[in-house]
Short mmCIF file of all heavy atoms in Angstrom, two decimals:
data_model
loop_
_atom_site.label_atom_id
_atom_site.label_comp_id
_atom_site.label_asym_id
_atom_site.label_seq_id
_atom_site.Cartn_x
_atom_site.Cartn_y
_atom_site.Cartn_z
N MET T 1 9.81 -5.45 81.25
CA MET T 1 9.93 -4.04 81.38
C MET T 1 10.66 -3.53 80.05
O MET T 1 11.37 -4.22 79.42
CB MET T 1 10.80 -3.69 82.61
CG MET T 1 12.13 -4.41 82.67
SD MET T 1 13.32 -3.20 83.31
CE MET T 1 14.59 -3.24 82.12
N LYS T 2 10.47 -2.31 79.89
CA LYS T 2 11.13 -1.71 78.63
C LYS T 2 12.22 -0.73 79.12
O LYS T 2 12.17 -0.16 80.23
CB LYS T 2 10.09 -0.80 77.81
CG LYS T 2 9.04 -1.73 77.18
CD LYS T 2 8.21 -0.89 76.19
CE LYS T 2 7.18 -0.09 76.90
NZ LYS T 2 6.17 0.55 75.97
N PHE T 3 13.19 -0.62 78.29
CA PHE T 3 14.38 0.24 78.63
C PHE T 3 14.95 0.78 77.38
O PHE T 3 14.80 0.18 76.29
CB PHE T 3 15.44 -0.61 79.46
CG PHE T 3 15.97 -1.67 78.67
CD1 PHE T 3 17.26 -1.57 78.03
CD2 PHE T 3 15.38 -2.88 78.68
CE1 PHE T 3 17.73 -2.62 77.36
CE2 PHE T 3 15.85 -4.00 77.99
CZ PHE T 3 17.14 -3.79 77.34
N CYS T 4 15.69 1.86 77.52
CA CYS T 4 16.44 2.39 76.35
C CYS T 4 17.81 1.81 76.53
O CYS T 4 18.51 2.04 77.52
CB CYS T 4 16.52 3.93 76.46
SG CYS T 4 17.60 4.63 75.28
N PRO T 5 18.28 1.16 75.48
CA PRO T 5 19.64 0.48 75.59
C PRO T 5 20.77 1.41 75.61
O PRO T 5 21.79 1.07 75.86
CB PRO T 5 19.60 -0.44 74.34
CG PRO T 5 18.60 0.04 73.47
CD PRO T 5 17.54 0.79 74.21
N GLN T 6 20.46 2.67 75.24
CA GLN T 6 21.49 3.76 75.31
C GLN T 6 21.53 4.57 76.59
O GLN T 6 22.65 4.81 77.06
CB GLN T 6 21.27 4.64 74.15
CG GLN T 6 22.48 5.32 73.53
CD GLN T 6 22.37 5.84 72.20
OE1 GLN T 6 22.83 5.19 71.27
NE2 GLN T 6 21.62 6.92 72.06
N CYS T 7 20.31 4.88 77.15
CA CYS T 7 20.31 5.79 78.34
C CYS T 7 20.23 5.03 79.59
O CYS T 7 20.49 5.61 80.64
CB CYS T 7 19.12 6.77 78.14
SG CYS T 7 19.03 7.63 76.72
N TRP T 8 19.77 3.86 79.59
CA TRP T 8 19.47 3.15 80.84
C TRP T 8 20.96 2.72 81.43
O TRP T 8 21.73 2.26 80.63
CB TRP T 8 18.61 1.86 80.63
CG TRP T 8 18.60 0.92 81.82
CD1 TRP T 8 18.20 1.27 82.94
CD2 TRP T 8 18.88 -0.39 81.84
NE1 TRP T 8 18.14 0.13 83.81
CE2 TRP T 8 18.68 -0.90 83.09
CE3 TRP T 8 19.38 -1.28 80.88
CZ2 TRP T 8 18.88 -2.11 83.51
CZ3 TRP T 8 19.59 -2.63 81.23
CH2 TRP T 8 19.33 -3.10 82.56
N ASN T 9 21.05 2.91 82.60
CA ASN T 9 22.16 2.35 83.36
C ASN T 9 21.90 1.10 84.11
O ASN T 9 21.14 1.15 84.99
CB ASN T 9 22.81 3.41 84.31
CG ASN T 9 23.44 4.59 83.71
OD1 ASN T 9 24.17 4.42 82.76
ND2 ASN T 9 23.11 5.82 84.03
N PRO T 10 22.49 -0.05 83.70
CA PRO T 10 22.16 -1.30 84.34
C PRO T 10 22.43 -1.22 85.85
O PRO T 10 23.38 -0.57 86.19
CB PRO T 10 23.17 -2.30 83.57
CG PRO T 10 23.40 -1.64 82.29
CD PRO T 10 23.41 -0.18 82.50
N GLY T 11 21.57 -1.78 86.55
CA GLY T 11 21.69 -1.72 88.00
C GLY T 11 20.83 -0.62 88.60
O GLY T 11 20.47 -0.67 89.86
N HIS T 12 20.30 0.22 87.74
CA HIS T 12 19.34 1.32 88.18
C HIS T 12 18.00 0.98 87.58
O HIS T 12 17.88 0.32 86.59
CB HIS T 12 19.88 2.65 87.67
CG HIS T 12 21.16 3.08 88.35
ND1 HIS T 12 22.39 2.79 87.87
CD2 HIS T 12 21.31 3.86 89.43
CE1 HIS T 12 23.33 3.22 88.66
NE2 HIS T 12 22.71 3.97 89.59
N THR T 13 16.98 1.55 88.29
CA THR T 13 15.63 1.39 87.79
C THR T 13 15.42 1.98 86.52
O THR T 13 16.00 3.05 86.18
CB THR T 13 14.68 2.15 88.88
OG1 THR T 13 15.14 1.84 90.21
CG2 THR T 13 13.26 1.75 88.62
N ALA T 14 14.70 1.30 85.67
CA ALA T 14 14.37 1.94 84.33
C ALA T 14 13.38 3.03 84.50
O ALA T 14 12.54 2.98 85.38
CB ALA T 14 13.80 0.80 83.42
N ASP T 15 13.50 4.05 83.62
CA ASP T 15 12.68 5.17 83.75
C ASP T 15 11.23 4.86 83.59
O ASP T 15 10.86 4.19 82.67
CB ASP T 15 13.11 6.19 82.64
CG ASP T 15 12.63 7.58 82.95
OD1 ASP T 15 11.36 7.76 83.13
OD2 ASP T 15 13.39 8.56 82.83
N PRO T 16 10.36 5.32 84.47
CA PRO T 16 8.88 4.95 84.34
C PRO T 16 8.29 5.51 83.13
O PRO T 16 7.29 4.81 82.66
CB PRO T 16 8.26 5.60 85.65
CG PRO T 16 9.22 6.45 86.26
CD PRO T 16 10.61 6.02 85.75
N ILE T 17 8.88 6.49 82.51
CA ILE T 17 8.26 7.00 81.14
C ILE T 17 8.42 5.91 80.12
O ILE T 17 7.50 5.81 79.29
CB ILE T 17 8.96 8.32 80.87
CG1 ILE T 17 8.59 9.38 81.84
CG2 ILE T 17 8.54 8.78 79.41
CD1 ILE T 17 9.38 10.71 81.73
N TRP T 18 9.53 5.16 80.18
CA TRP T 18 9.63 4.06 79.19
C TRP T 18 8.67 2.97 79.41
O TRP T 18 8.46 2.18 78.38
CB TRP T 18 11.08 3.50 79.31
CG TRP T 18 12.26 4.44 79.13
CD1 TRP T 18 12.17 5.47 78.34
CD2 TRP T 18 13.48 4.37 79.67
NE1 TRP T 18 13.35 6.14 78.28
CE2 TRP T 18 14.30 5.46 79.09
CE3 TRP T 18 14.24 3.54 80.46
CZ2 TRP T 18 15.53 5.78 79.35
CZ3 TRP T 18 15.52 3.81 80.78
CH2 TRP T 18 16.19 4.84 80.26
N GLN T 19 8.06 2.83 80.53
CA GLN T 19 7.16 1.81 80.80
C GLN T 19 5.80 2.08 80.24
O GLN T 19 4.84 1.20 80.25
CB GLN T 19 7.09 1.52 82.32
CG GLN T 19 8.44 1.21 83.08
CD GLN T 19 9.26 0.32 82.29
OE1 GLN T 19 8.88 -0.71 81.82
NE2 GLN T 19 10.48 0.80 82.13
N ASN T 20 5.53 3.31 79.93
CA ASN T 20 4.15 3.69 79.38
C ASN T 20 3.91 2.90 78.12
O ASN T 20 4.79 2.66 77.29
CB ASN T 20 4.24 5.13 78.98
CG ASN T 20 2.84 5.74 78.57
OD1 ASN T 20 2.30 5.27 77.69
ND2 ASN T 20 2.36 6.65 79.35
N VAL T 21 2.62 2.29 78.10
CA VAL T 21 2.27 1.43 76.96
C VAL T 21 2.46 2.14 75.56
O VAL T 21 2.63 1.52 74.57
CB VAL T 21 0.82 0.84 77.07
CG1 VAL T 21 0.80 -0.16 78.16
CG2 VAL T 21 -0.14 2.02 77.43
N GLN T 22 2.34 3.53 75.58
CA GLN T 22 2.41 4.29 74.42
C GLN T 22 3.85 4.55 73.93
O GLN T 22 4.16 4.89 72.82
CB GLN T 22 1.76 5.63 74.52
CG GLN T 22 0.41 5.57 75.08
CD GLN T 22 -0.71 5.57 74.05
OE1 GLN T 22 -0.53 5.26 72.87
NE2 GLN T 22 -1.91 6.12 74.36
N ALA T 23 4.75 4.30 74.86
CA ALA T 23 6.19 4.63 74.69
C ALA T 23 6.78 3.61 73.82
O ALA T 23 6.87 2.39 74.22
CB ALA T 23 6.90 4.87 76.05
N ARG T 24 7.25 3.94 72.67
CA ARG T 24 7.97 3.00 71.87
C ARG T 24 9.38 3.50 71.46
O ARG T 24 10.29 2.68 71.12
CB ARG T 24 7.21 2.88 70.41
CG ARG T 24 5.82 2.20 70.66
CD ARG T 24 5.12 1.93 69.38
NE ARG T 24 5.95 1.08 68.58
CZ ARG T 24 6.03 1.06 67.20
NH1 ARG T 24 5.24 1.99 66.60
NH2 ARG T 24 6.82 0.24 66.49
N PHE T 25 9.65 4.78 71.75
CA PHE T 25 10.90 5.27 71.49
C PHE T 25 11.44 6.11 72.63
O PHE T 25 10.51 6.67 73.39
CB PHE T 25 10.90 6.21 70.26
CG PHE T 25 10.55 5.44 69.01
CD1 PHE T 25 9.24 5.37 68.50
CD2 PHE T 25 11.51 4.74 68.18
CE1 PHE T 25 8.94 4.77 67.38
CE2 PHE T 25 11.29 4.11 67.10
CZ PHE T 25 9.91 4.02 66.69
N CYS T 26 12.67 6.16 72.95
CA CYS T 26 13.18 6.92 74.03
C CYS T 26 13.02 8.40 74.00
O CYS T 26 13.22 9.00 72.81
CB CYS T 26 14.63 6.54 74.20
SG CYS T 26 15.49 7.52 75.52
N TYR T 27 12.37 9.08 75.03
CA TYR T 27 12.15 10.47 74.90
C TYR T 27 13.47 11.33 75.07
O TYR T 27 13.48 12.51 74.88
CB TYR T 27 11.09 10.85 76.01
CG TYR T 27 11.68 10.75 77.38
CD1 TYR T 27 12.15 11.86 78.03
CD2 TYR T 27 11.75 9.53 78.01
CE1 TYR T 27 12.65 11.82 79.40
CE2 TYR T 27 12.28 9.38 79.29
CZ TYR T 27 12.68 10.54 80.07
OH TYR T 27 13.24 10.49 81.20
N LEU T 28 14.57 10.62 75.48
CA LEU T 28 15.81 11.32 75.57
C LEU T 28 16.62 11.34 74.34
O LEU T 28 17.15 12.32 73.95
CB LEU T 28 16.61 10.67 76.76
CG LEU T 28 16.01 10.92 78.15
CD1 LEU T 28 16.71 9.95 79.05
CD2 LEU T 28 16.04 12.30 78.53
N CYS T 29 16.73 10.13 73.72
CA CYS T 29 17.67 10.01 72.59
C CYS T 29 16.93 9.57 71.34
O CYS T 29 17.51 9.55 70.28
CB CYS T 29 18.82 9.07 72.90
SG CYS T 29 18.22 7.30 73.00
N GLY T 30 15.65 9.16 71.46
CA GLY T 30 14.89 8.88 70.23
C GLY T 30 15.06 7.40 69.60
O GLY T 30 14.42 7.22 68.69
N ILE T 31 15.89 6.63 70.28
CA ILE T 31 16.02 5.23 69.60
C ILE T 31 14.88 4.44 70.19
O ILE T 31 14.25 4.71 71.15
CB ILE T 31 17.38 4.68 69.92
CG1 ILE T 31 17.66 4.32 71.32
CG2 ILE T 31 18.44 5.60 69.29
CD1 ILE T 31 18.82 3.39 71.43
N GLN T 32 14.73 3.29 69.57
CA GLN T 32 13.62 2.31 69.89
C GLN T 32 13.86 1.66 71.25
O GLN T 32 14.92 1.22 71.45
CB GLN T 32 13.46 1.29 68.81
CG GLN T 32 12.16 0.57 68.92
CD GLN T 32 11.74 -0.11 67.57
OE1 GLN T 32 12.53 -0.44 66.74
NE2 GLN T 32 10.48 -0.59 67.49
N LEU T 33 12.79 1.62 72.06
CA LEU T 33 12.96 1.01 73.37
C LEU T 33 12.92 -0.46 73.15
O LEU T 33 12.37 -1.05 72.23
CB LEU T 33 11.75 1.30 74.25
CG LEU T 33 11.67 2.91 74.54
CD1 LEU T 33 10.40 3.06 75.35
CD2 LEU T 33 12.88 3.27 75.38
N ARG T 34 13.65 -1.23 74.01
CA ARG T 34 13.68 -2.72 73.97
C ARG T 34 13.00 -3.28 75.26
O ARG T 34 13.07 -2.67 76.31
CB ARG T 34 15.21 -3.18 73.99
CG ARG T 34 15.90 -2.72 72.69
CD ARG T 34 17.06 -3.63 72.48
NE ARG T 34 16.63 -5.05 72.27
CZ ARG T 34 16.27 -5.51 71.17
NH1 ARG T 34 16.47 -4.78 70.07
NH2 ARG T 34 15.83 -6.65 71.03
N ALA T 35 12.50 -4.41 75.10
CA ALA T 35 12.02 -5.13 76.31
C ALA T 35 12.55 -6.51 76.29
O ALA T 35 12.27 -7.34 77.20
CB ALA T 35 10.44 -5.32 76.17
N SER T 36 13.53 -6.83 75.42
CA SER T 36 14.10 -8.15 75.39
C SER T 36 15.58 -8.03 74.95
O SER T 36 16.04 -7.01 74.46
CB SER T 36 13.41 -8.99 74.49
OG SER T 36 13.39 -8.44 73.14
N CYS T 37 16.28 -9.11 75.18
CA CYS T 37 17.73 -9.18 74.72
C CYS T 37 17.82 -8.91 73.26
O CYS T 37 17.11 -9.55 72.45
CB CYS T 37 18.23 -10.58 75.20
SG CYS T 37 19.94 -10.88 74.50
N ALA T 38 18.76 -8.09 72.90
CA ALA T 38 18.97 -7.82 71.44
C ALA T 38 19.60 -9.10 70.70
O ALA T 38 19.40 -9.15 69.48
CB ALA T 38 19.90 -6.68 71.25
N ASN T 39 20.04 -9.93 71.41
CA ASN T 39 20.82 -11.11 70.80
C ASN T 39 19.86 -12.34 70.70
O ASN T 39 19.74 -12.89 69.66
CB ASN T 39 22.02 -11.43 71.60
CG ASN T 39 22.86 -12.52 70.92
OD1 ASN T 39 23.22 -12.33 69.67
ND2 ASN T 39 23.24 -13.46 71.63
N CYS T 40 19.24 -12.69 71.86
CA CYS T 40 18.53 -14.00 71.80
C CYS T 40 16.99 -13.72 71.92
O CYS T 40 16.20 -14.68 71.75
CB CYS T 40 18.95 -14.90 72.80
SG CYS T 40 18.50 -14.43 74.50
N GLY T 41 16.53 -12.47 72.24
CA GLY T 41 15.10 -12.15 72.40
C GLY T 41 14.52 -12.51 73.72
O GLY T 41 13.29 -12.34 73.95
N GLU T 42 15.30 -13.03 74.68
CA GLU T 42 14.74 -13.35 75.98
C GLU T 42 14.29 -12.00 76.65
O GLU T 42 15.00 -11.03 76.64
CB GLU T 42 15.85 -13.98 76.83
CG GLU T 42 15.56 -14.39 78.22
CD GLU T 42 14.67 -15.52 78.26
OE1 GLU T 42 14.52 -16.27 77.33
OE2 GLU T 42 14.12 -15.80 79.41
N LEU T 43 13.09 -12.05 77.24
CA LEU T 43 12.56 -10.94 77.84
C LEU T 43 13.38 -10.50 79.06
O LEU T 43 13.85 -11.27 79.84
CB LEU T 43 11.10 -11.15 78.33
CG LEU T 43 10.11 -11.15 77.20
CD1 LEU T 43 8.74 -11.38 77.81
CD2 LEU T 43 10.00 -9.72 76.60
N VAL T 44 13.55 -9.22 79.23
CA VAL T 44 14.27 -8.57 80.32
C VAL T 44 13.31 -8.54 81.44
O VAL T 44 12.28 -7.72 81.36
CB VAL T 44 14.87 -7.25 80.01
CG1 VAL T 44 15.62 -6.62 81.29
CG2 VAL T 44 15.85 -7.35 78.82
N VAL T 45 13.57 -9.16 82.60
CA VAL T 45 12.66 -9.09 83.68
C VAL T 45 13.13 -8.39 84.95
O VAL T 45 12.47 -7.90 85.75
CB VAL T 45 12.23 -10.63 84.12
CG1 VAL T 45 11.46 -11.25 83.03
CG2 VAL T 45 13.43 -11.38 84.45
N SER T 46 14.50 -8.13 84.92
CA SER T 46 15.04 -7.47 86.09
C SER T 46 16.08 -6.42 85.60
O SER T 46 16.88 -6.64 84.81
CB SER T 46 15.63 -8.42 87.01
OG SER T 46 16.44 -7.68 87.98
N THR T 47 16.02 -5.24 86.14
CA THR T 47 16.92 -4.15 85.81
C THR T 47 18.26 -4.33 86.65
O THR T 47 19.04 -3.56 86.41
CB THR T 47 16.32 -2.74 86.20
OG1 THR T 47 15.88 -2.83 87.53
CG2 THR T 47 15.22 -2.40 85.29
N ARG T 48 18.21 -5.33 87.46
CA ARG T 48 19.48 -5.55 88.26
C ARG T 48 20.57 -6.32 87.42
O ARG T 48 21.70 -6.26 87.81
CB ARG T 48 19.19 -6.32 89.57
CG ARG T 48 18.52 -5.44 90.60
CD ARG T 48 18.06 -6.30 91.77
NE ARG T 48 17.17 -7.27 91.45
CZ ARG T 48 16.85 -8.37 92.13
NH1 ARG T 48 17.47 -8.47 93.25
NH2 ARG T 48 16.01 -9.28 91.80
N HIS T 49 20.14 -6.91 86.36
CA HIS T 49 21.03 -7.57 85.50
C HIS T 49 21.69 -6.74 84.48
O HIS T 49 21.01 -5.99 83.82
CB HIS T 49 20.43 -8.77 84.87
CG HIS T 49 19.90 -9.85 85.83
ND1 HIS T 49 20.79 -10.52 86.61
CD2 HIS T 49 18.68 -10.30 86.10
CE1 HIS T 49 20.04 -11.45 87.45
NE2 HIS T 49 18.76 -11.22 87.11
N ARG T 50 23.02 -6.82 84.29
CA ARG T 50 23.64 -6.11 83.30
C ARG T 50 23.75 -6.87 81.94
O ARG T 50 23.83 -6.42 80.78
CB ARG T 50 25.12 -5.77 83.70
CG ARG T 50 25.16 -4.76 84.77
CD ARG T 50 26.46 -4.77 85.42
NE ARG T 50 26.53 -3.72 86.48
CZ ARG T 50 26.85 -2.47 86.33
NH1 ARG T 50 27.36 -2.14 85.14
NH2 ARG T 50 26.89 -1.61 87.31
N PHE T 51 23.65 -8.15 82.08
CA PHE T 51 23.78 -9.03 80.98
C PHE T 51 22.63 -10.10 80.87
O PHE T 51 22.14 -10.44 81.92
CB PHE T 51 25.17 -9.86 81.02
CG PHE T 51 26.40 -8.98 81.11
CD1 PHE T 51 26.94 -8.67 82.37
CD2 PHE T 51 26.93 -8.45 80.00
CE1 PHE T 51 27.99 -7.87 82.41
CE2 PHE T 51 28.10 -7.64 79.97
CZ PHE T 51 28.61 -7.32 81.26
N CYS T 52 22.35 -10.56 79.67
CA CYS T 52 21.30 -11.46 79.46
C CYS T 52 21.74 -12.76 80.16
O CYS T 52 22.78 -13.31 80.00
CB CYS T 52 21.16 -11.74 77.95
SG CYS T 52 19.95 -13.03 77.63
N PRO T 53 20.82 -13.35 81.03
CA PRO T 53 21.17 -14.61 81.72
C PRO T 53 21.25 -15.76 80.75
O PRO T 53 21.83 -16.83 81.25
CB PRO T 53 20.07 -14.66 82.82
CG PRO T 53 19.00 -13.88 82.31
CD PRO T 53 19.59 -12.82 81.48
N ILE T 54 20.67 -15.70 79.65
CA ILE T 54 20.59 -16.71 78.66
C ILE T 54 21.82 -16.84 77.88
O ILE T 54 22.50 -17.89 77.73
CB ILE T 54 19.34 -16.63 77.84
CG1 ILE T 54 18.09 -16.57 78.69
CG2 ILE T 54 19.24 -17.91 76.82
CD1 ILE T 54 17.85 -17.76 79.62
N CYS T 55 22.16 -15.64 77.24
CA CYS T 55 23.23 -15.71 76.34
C CYS T 55 24.50 -14.88 76.68
O CYS T 55 25.51 -14.93 76.02
CB CYS T 55 22.84 -15.24 74.83
SG CYS T 55 22.34 -13.57 74.78
N GLY T 56 24.34 -14.02 77.75
CA GLY T 56 25.41 -13.20 78.21
C GLY T 56 25.69 -11.91 77.48
O GLY T 56 26.54 -11.18 77.61
N HIS T 57 24.68 -11.56 76.46
CA HIS T 57 24.82 -10.38 75.80
C HIS T 57 24.55 -9.19 76.70
O HIS T 57 23.53 -9.18 77.47
CB HIS T 57 23.70 -10.39 74.70
CG HIS T 57 23.92 -9.33 73.61
ND1 HIS T 57 24.84 -9.29 72.67
CD2 HIS T 57 23.12 -8.12 73.50
CE1 HIS T 57 24.71 -8.20 71.90
NE2 HIS T 57 23.76 -7.48 72.46
N PRO T 58 25.34 -8.09 76.69
CA PRO T 58 25.04 -6.87 77.51
C PRO T 58 23.80 -6.17 77.03
O PRO T 58 23.55 -6.03 75.85
CB PRO T 58 26.30 -6.03 77.38
CG PRO T 58 26.82 -6.51 76.05
CD PRO T 58 26.54 -7.99 75.88
N TYR T 59 22.97 -5.76 78.04
CA TYR T 59 21.74 -5.07 77.69
C TYR T 59 22.02 -3.66 77.23
O TYR T 59 21.32 -3.14 76.38
CB TYR T 59 20.81 -4.98 78.94
CG TYR T 59 20.25 -6.34 79.27
CD1 TYR T 59 19.97 -6.60 80.73
CD2 TYR T 59 19.81 -7.22 78.30
CE1 TYR T 59 19.39 -7.74 81.03
CE2 TYR T 59 19.16 -8.43 78.77
CZ TYR T 59 19.05 -8.70 80.06
OH TYR T 59 18.50 -9.88 80.49
N LYS T 60 23.03 -3.08 77.79
CA LYS T 60 23.33 -1.71 77.31
C LYS T 60 24.18 -1.70 76.14
O LYS T 60 25.14 -2.37 75.88
CB LYS T 60 24.12 -1.03 78.57
CG LYS T 60 24.41 0.44 78.13
CD LYS T 60 24.53 1.23 79.41
CE LYS T 60 24.97 2.66 79.01
NZ LYS T 60 24.14 3.70 79.49
N MET T 61 23.66 -0.84 75.20
CA MET T 61 24.35 -0.72 73.92
C MET T 61 25.60 0.11 74.09
O MET T 61 25.52 1.15 74.77
CB MET T 61 23.37 0.04 72.98
CG MET T 61 23.72 0.18 71.53
SD MET T 61 22.56 1.29 70.75
CE MET T 61 21.17 0.22 70.57
N ALA T 62 26.70 -0.37 73.45
CA ALA T 62 27.85 0.44 73.50
C ALA T 62 27.71 1.64 72.68
O ALA T 62 27.23 1.58 71.56
CB ALA T 62 28.97 -0.45 72.96
N LYS T 63 28.20 2.76 73.14
CA LYS T 63 28.14 4.04 72.43
C LYS T 63 29.06 3.97 71.16
O LYS T 63 30.19 3.60 71.29
CB LYS T 63 28.52 5.14 73.42
CG LYS T 63 27.39 5.42 74.33
CD LYS T 63 27.15 6.93 74.56
CE LYS T 63 25.79 7.16 75.27
NZ LYS T 63 25.80 8.39 76.11
N THR T 64 28.59 4.53 70.15
CA THR T 64 29.39 4.46 68.92
C THR T 64 29.80 5.78 68.48
O THR T 64 28.98 6.77 68.76
CB THR T 64 28.56 3.71 67.82
OG1 THR T 64 27.31 4.34 67.66
CG2 THR T 64 28.53 2.25 68.04
ZN1 ZN P 101 17.54 6.87 75.17
ZN1 ZN P 102 20.18 -12.95 75.33
#
């Protein structure tokens, strides 16, 4: 599944608009959607996880 690392709230369903095959950037904030862990590249399979089960990297990007 794809998600916006900035707008998605872990534990909640990812927005269906992000799942569109044409969707490459978030329609809310404009950053590139991710489908895998930013650290190790493991595919994200469940929106119920907040952290990568492989490396422990948080899926949600910290706001800067
Ligand atoms: Zn976004
Ligand atoms: Zn990882």
Side-chain angles (χ1 to χ4, degrees):
M1 60 143 232
K2 290 191 284 190
F3 63 96
C4 171
Q6 205 160 255
C7 302
W8 173 57
N9 285 312
H12 292 84
T13 314
D15 198 309
I17 295 172
W18 296 333
Q19 309 314 311
N20 190 298
V21 286
Q22 312 261 27
R24 295 185 58 214
F25 298 93
C26 176
Y27 68 99
L28 293 168
C29 70
I31 70 164
Q32 194 163 18
L33 298 175
R34 298 203 59 90
S36 58
C37 172
N39 188 51
C40 72
E42 178 76 10
L43 281 178
V44 178
V45 290
S46 172
T47 52
R48 285 174 301 162
H49 295 297
R50 290 164 180 269
F51 302 96
C52 175
I54 307 299
C55 70
H57 189 78
Y59 289 146
K60 182 150 173 130
M61 186 189 284
K63 287 221 167 151
T64 49

